[in-house]
Amino acid sequence: MVQKIHSYKKYKEDYQESVEDPGKFWGKIAESFLWRKKWDTVLESDMANADVKWFQGGKLNITENCLDRHLEKNGNKTAIIWEPNNPDEESRYITYRQLYVKVSRFANVLKNNGVKKGDRVCLYMPMIPELSIAMLACARIGAIHSIVFAGFSSTALSSRINDSQCKLLITANEVYRGTKPINLKAVCDEALENTPSIEKVIVYRRTVEPTQMKEGRDSFWFEELQKIENFECEAEEMDAEDPLFILYTSGSTGKPKGMVHSTGGYMVGSTYSFQNVFQYQKDDIYWCTADIGWITGHSYIIYGPLAAGATTVMFEGVPSYPDYGRFWEIVEKLKVTHFYTAPTAIRALAKHPLSLVEKYDLSSLKVLGSVGEPINEEAWHWYNDNIGKGTCPIVDTWWQTETGAIMISPLAGVTPLRPTFATMPLPGVQPALMDEHGKEITESPAEGRLAMKAPWPSIARTIYGDHQRYKDTYFSAYSGMYFTGDGAYRDAMGNYRITGRVDDVVIVSGHNLGTAPIENAVDEHDAVVECAVVGFPHDIKGNALYAYVTKYDEVRISDDELRVEINKLIASSIGAIAKLDKIQFVSGLPKTRSGKIMRRILRKIASNDTSNLGDTSTLLNPEVVEEIMEKSLV
Ligand code: WTA
């Protein structure tokens, strides 16, 4: 098992060593995993060319680390506790041995369906144990899973399937989120109208509703299992650098980026950070409320916790059902020790009466976590006072889909906290603040753009099918460094506080949304000439979306009807998560003389921060700024 850092002194020593001799440092950590063959070199890196390789020559299978190696001593330990959407339905407890059997058996199903090492398999599934089983089964046979969050629309699903040419799709017929049924299979059927690479679809029957199945293409999960007699499946031997999964994240341009994660480095990074940030101990019950469709779920519901032999909770439902006490009811019921959620959820819960918290016994809690967006002061204190009762360290974990693992965060109970600060980098992480001229700012306190000076094991290796874009997006801003897209402030002690995105990505309710694809969806409406979408601060969601839209003169429907139609277009091309909160119709968008929309000004107006708009005289059409401000919906 990975050695845990137990003291602030040890943290400082390890940090020092990780900077001075990364090879030695990570080599030692990697030794604690199960490798079929040890690596030849720990690190080979050429950041300027976006070329990073860890543990080259090493051979392994991540599922042997997540499952097989626990069997002897911990086979009967609970690996996954599943909590259903409906509190009256029974929870499921799955031991490591049971999970091992289920994964092996399903891995044989995949093989039976012609899936081979290197093939891409798309998972569009609800938060049920079968999602974890399918995911690990892919890893078992060396297939690359591409999990698409089940809130995405059919168009978003098909574009992701096509981008990575998935061969097989795994889904469920239907799922309830709160009281709302969601027919996932129907979304898949729509997506599958233009996904020629998909040969087969396996459908898990989550509800008893009748399900449309297409002869020759679709089959049910249970039918597929029945065809399998062999409950053992030898794990495929993988190179450390072989891809483990693809996960899409939004970018500044329309097309989502399929981030590719490696097998060896990702395993080491996700597990090491899990152990150290959360300080998980043997009998702890760890719960991360994220959806597995996002990176947080990949690294901190499945891979990190399972490789560390932890008990990890998976929750199918929503924080508001049957009421806003649900999270706390589950904490009490399962005696959760570690609770990891997003600020947006905390803010939503804090709006409801405290009696919903006080009703439950939260004394099992030891560590609280936050992820996905900056946590504001008020939410931090509410979380600390009412949930942690002032005794649970809050780990505010900053990281990204691209980083694979937590990068900047306190280590629970080990390193000092500072509210609203992600605080210090983990060992192996070397942040830099960059000024507007692209120079590193070495003094503190200071504010700048956040970059990384050195590679870490779980860094994404490429964007699927487009290495040039990977290089351009992350390695071209600052020579030899990785650029995060975030801004940050560093205090005199060296604590980092993330201030938010500095590009055209907006984090809404903890979800990364690129404004470009949303604008594309709005532009599709016949009545729309053009539009600009920006983020603005929102009480609960952190940020919400504001669109400025110019429309054609002869529009037959009312503004309100047009708003509804625009949001429908967004829901169908991306998903409901990307809907606009405000849509203002304007006679023109502020543009530079070269025709670029000045989003900076629009962002300020949307944020009701118009005291200093900067110089607008260089605009092609300064008069529209006045008009936009006058009719602003803020
Ligand atoms: C933001 C989620 C402030 C940040 C793991 C980053 C945060 C983006 C924090 C990545 C945090 C994540 N404090 N901001 N603790 N954690 N972010 O890829 O802007 O969904 O770049 O990964 O979320 O979002 P992603």
Side-chain angles (χ1 to χ4, degrees):
M1 274 296 101
V2 170
Q3 251 220 320
K4 271 189 297 210
I5 298 172
H6 288 296
S7 68
Y8 190 30
K9 184 167 158 273
K10 174 84 171 113
Y11 159 74
K12 286 198 251 181
E13 286 166 9
D14 280 14
Y15 188 82
Q16 200 57 32
E17 186 189 341
S18 76
V19 171
E20 281 164 10
D21 195 346
K24 185 169 162 220
F25 176 80
W26 286 111
K28 249 191 317 198
I29 289 164
E31 299 263 359
S32 59
F33 292 84
L34 190 66
W35 297 80
R36 294 250 186 113
K37 173 184 169 287
K38 203 180 153 175
W39 54 90
D40 304 318
T41 45
V42 176
L43 171 63
E44 260 176 55
S45 153
D46 175 6
M47 292 264 268
N49 282 308
D51 187 11
V52 178
K53 296 190 175 81
W54 287 88
F55 312 114
Q56 283 233 81
K59 306 263 187 207
L60 76 161
N61 186 293
I62 195 168
T63 67
E64 290 187 331
N65 284 273
C66 290
L67 302 170
D68 309 44
R69 73 166 163 161
H70 304 312
L71 296 184
E72 196 182 325
K73 282 197 191 128
N74 285 313
N76 294 330
K77 176 172 174 167
T78 304
I80 297 178
I81 307 179
W82 176 74
E83 198 50 38
N85 174 65
N86 181 347
D88 297 331
E89 204 181 318
E90 263 185 49
S91 320
R92 280 169 68 184
Y93 285 72
I94 303 172
T95 65
Y96 272 95
R97 185 171 308 283
Q98 289 166 335
L99 188 60
Y100 165 83
V101 172
K102 285 175 191 292
V103 167
S104 305
R105 198 171 171 204
F106 197 72
N108 287 328
V109 167
L110 294 176
K111 280 189 178 170
N112 215 17
N113 280 280
V115 180
K116 296 194 186 63
K117 178 175 178 177
D119 286 343
R120 277 80 57 213
V121 174
C122 180
L123 275 52
Y124 185 76
M125 295 185 79
M127 284 288 285
I128 53 176
E130 285 66 26
L131 167 54
S132 330
I133 293 164
M135 186 177 180
L136 292 163
C138 287
R140 187 90 183 157
I141 64 167
I144 303 169
H145 57 72
S146 167
I147 305 185
V148 177
F149 171 62
F152 276 119
S153 69
S154 59
T155 317
L157 174 59
S158 61
S159 70
R160 284 158 175 78
I161 289 175
N162 290 335
D163 184 72
S164 47
Q165 294 288 294
C166 296
K167 191 168 177 181
L168 182 90
L169 173 64
I170 306 172
T171 189
N173 62 331
E174 188 192 45
V175 67
Y176 276 82
R177 304 264 295 157
T179 51
K180 201 167 116 198
I182 302 167
N183 191 330
L184 296 177
K185 178 63 168 47
V187 179
C188 290
D189 285 339
E190 238 179 83
L192 289 166
E193 280 170 21
N194 55 42
T195 53
S197 62
I198 293 285
E199 294 166 10
K200 297 248 169 78
V201 181
I202 298 178
V203 184
Y204 182 82
R205 201 190 253 291
R206 173 69 186 101
T207 68
V208 294
E209 284 305 299
T211 306
Q212 286 278 334
M213 299 291 274
K214 187 171 163 184
E215 192 62 44
R217 184 194 71 184
D218 305 349
S219 57
F220 283 112
W221 178 286
F222 74 90
E223 293 168 346
E224 289 294 325
L225 284 184
Q226 280 166 2
K227 297 181 200 158
I228 301 300
E229 277 161 19
N230 188 356
F231 288 16
E232 289 283 333
C233 176
E234 173 71 7
E236 186 77 31
E237 189 169 278
M238 306 296 284
D239 284 330
E241 280 295 320
D242 278 340
L244 174 64
F245 65 83
I246 300 170
L247 182 59
Y248 286 87
T249 187
S250 327
S252 304
T253 66
K255 208 170 162 233
K257 300 173 288 197
M259 305 311 307
V260 179
H261 278 285
S262 70
T263 304
Y266 174 80
M267 172 183 75
V268 170
S270 57
T271 313
Y272 173 78
S273 55
F274 171 75
Q275 290 271 45
N276 281 291
V277 169
F278 296 102
Q279 296 284 318
Y280 180 89
Q281 287 170 13
K282 206 168 116 276
D283 297 320
D284 289 344
I285 309 282
Y286 163 91
W287 179 20
C288 165
T289 70
D291 192 289
I292 292 178
W294 308 114
I295 191 69
T296 307
H298 281 61
S299 301
Y300 299 110
I301 297 179
I302 301 300
Y303 287 116
L306 295 181
T311 298
T312 176
V313 177
M314 246 182 111
F315 175 43
E316 183 185 35
V318 290
S320 54
Y321 177 76
D323 62 35
Y324 277 90
R326 185 67 192 279
F327 274 180
W328 320 127
E329 187 235 348
I330 296 175
V331 168
E332 176 183 284
K333 175 173 157 195
L334 304 181
K335 300 204 167 35
V336 170
T337 54
H338 291 66
F339 180 75
Y340 187 29
T341 196
T344 186
I346 300 167
R347 288 189 295 262
L349 294 165
K351 290 248 179 276
H352 295 273
L354 260 186
S355 53
L356 286 167
V357 177
E358 285 157 355
K359 241 168 92 178
Y360 300 101
D361 176 7
L362 305 185
S363 60
S364 56
L365 286 172
K366 299 202 283 195
V367 175
L368 301 177
S370 172
V371 61
E373 53 182 316
I375 179 164
N376 50 305
E377 193 95 30
E378 207 183 334
W380 196 98
H381 287 290
W382 186 87
Y383 200 27
N384 184 52
D385 299 347
N386 299 302
I387 308 304
K389 320 284 181 199
T391 63
C392 302
I394 298 179
V395 290
D396 177 0
T397 61
W398 175 84
W399 59 297
Q400 309 178 296
T401 304
E402 296 85 338
T403 69
I406 296 170
M407 301 286 281
I408 306 182
S409 169
L411 309 183
V414 173
T415 64
L417 305 177
R418 180 165 180 199
T420 77
F421 281 70
T423 72
M424 309 268 191
L426 262 61
V429 175
Q430 297 183 47
L433 287 185
M434 310 301 289
D435 71 13
E436 67 270 33
H437 309 296
K439 275 193 57 192
E440 186 181 352
I441 312 170
T442 49
E443 71 273 16
S444 298
E447 193 165 342
R449 294 181 168 210
L450 185 63
M452 296 293 151
K453 290 197 278 191
W456 59 96
S458 60
I459 184 175
R461 300 301 195 263
T462 191
I463 290 176
Y464 191 83
D466 198 348
H467 195 68
Q468 189 60 41
R469 185 176 180 202
Y470 178 63
K471 195 171 153 185
D472 294 345
T473 312
Y474 303 104
F475 300 90
S476 66
Y478 310 115
S479 167
M481 293 192 194
Y482 166 89
F483 176 48
T484 64
D486 281 332
Y489 167 81
R490 183 173 56 217
D491 72 8
M493 302 287 294
N495 290 304
Y496 287 85
R497 167 194 214 156
I498 311 303
T499 49
R501 299 293 305 187
V502 294
D503 55 9
D504 291 327
V505 171
V506 184
I507 314 245
V508 179
S509 299
H511 303 320
N512 269 13
L513 298 172
T515 52
I518 302 174
E519 289 172 359
N520 292 345
V522 178
D523 288 342
E524 265 177 40
H525 198 288
D526 292 343
V528 171
V529 181
E530 63 173 348
C531 74
V533 171
V534 297
F536 69 98
H538 184 280
D539 260 10
I540 291 180
K541 301 194 226 179
N543 295 291
L545 297 166
Y546 195 126
Y548 297 91
V549 178
T550 57
K551 52 179 188 170
Y552 288 104
D553 290 339
E554 294 103 32
V555 177
R556 265 170 288 131
I557 54 173
S558 72
D559 282 1
D560 277 342
E561 284 165 330
L562 183 51
R563 287 190 177 97
V564 171
E565 289 190 1
I566 286 175
N567 266 330
K568 270 198 197 147
L569 272 174
I570 294 176
S572 81
S573 90
I574 301 163
I577 49 174
K579 280 191 183 173
L580 302 164
D581 263 46
K582 290 183 180 165
I583 302 175
Q584 181 180 354
F585 296 106
V586 297
S587 67
L589 298 170
K591 289 191 181 170
T592 62
R593 287 180 197 278
S594 59
K596 248 187 117 181
I597 299 171
M598 285 286 273
R599 289 194 170 68
R600 184 178 53 80
I601 291 179
L602 294 173
R603 231 176 266 139
K604 287 204 157 193
I605 300 176
S607 310
N608 202 12
D609 169 24
T610 50
S611 54
N612 176 20
L613 283 185
D615 187 4
T616 56
S617 67
T618 58
L619 290 176
L620 195 63
N621 50 353
E623 68 290 345
V624 298
V625 175
E626 283 298 311
E627 177 215 298
I628 291 176
M629 288 200 316
E630 242 165 62
K631 298 195 186 142
S632 163
L633 304 174
V634 174

